Amino acid sequence: MIYGMAADAVVCIHLGWIVFLITGAYWGRKNRAVMAIHAAGLFFAVISQVFGWYCPLTDLEVWLREKQNPLAAYPGSFIAHYAEKLVYLEVPPLIVFSLTLAIAAFTTLIYLKALTKKIA
């Protein structure tokens, strides 16, 4: 039971982290500490998709699910398991990668604008 609750908590944290990666530039443009964490997170997201790595939070959740019930674990990524089920679509990895790059590019523009504004 404790493993299942911990796995559910990891899923909530994971979802929050994904939302932060998508929207974090809003807070990051005003706060350098948030900017650094957000930029590092986006960098890791892009690199992990380039090399086909899974997020460590996915690995932690799967490990906790296996501890709770070996049949409750799932193969693959967090996004493929949960997000795709939310929209009932199978999203090809290229689309996920493209969206990640678009978010990273948009964030870079926001941060460059915020940094040049602070310098000027």
Side-chain angles (χ1 to χ4, degrees):
M1 177 150 163
I2 190 80
Y3 288 114
M5 290 172 29
D8 292 343
V10 170
V11 170
C12 291
I13 291 167
H14 202 170
L15 182 59
W17 179 250
I18 291 169
V19 170
F20 173 70
L21 290 180
I22 293 169
T23 64
Y26 176 77
W27 296 282
R29 66 190 166 96
K30 297 179 183 180
N31 184 311
R32 286 193 184 240
V34 173
M35 181 187 293
I37 294 167
H38 184 246
L42 277 176
F43 177 76
F44 180 77
V46 170
I47 293 301
S48 66
Q49 289 185 35
V50 167
F51 291 104
W53 302 336
Y54 292 122
C55 176
L57 291 172
T58 299
D59 293 333
L60 177 59
E61 187 219 342
V62 169
W63 180 80
L64 289 167
R65 296 255 183 246
E66 286 175 342
K67 287 290 193 185
Q68 174 198 7
N69 175 359
L71 300 177
Y74 58 86
S77 74
F78 171 88
I79 293 172
H81 186 72
Y82 291 104
E84 288 180 7
K85 289 185 179 188
L86 289 175
V87 295
Y88 303 106
L89 296 174
E90 291 204 16
V91 179
L94 182 59
I95 290 176
V96 174
F97 181 64
S98 299
L99 290 172
T100 302
L101 285 179
I103 291 167
F106 182 69
T107 296
T108 301
L109 292 174
I110 290 172
Y111 286 165
L112 287 174
K113 183 177 177 182
L115 288 172
T116 56
K117 189 185 277 189
K118 288 181 181 181
I119 293 172

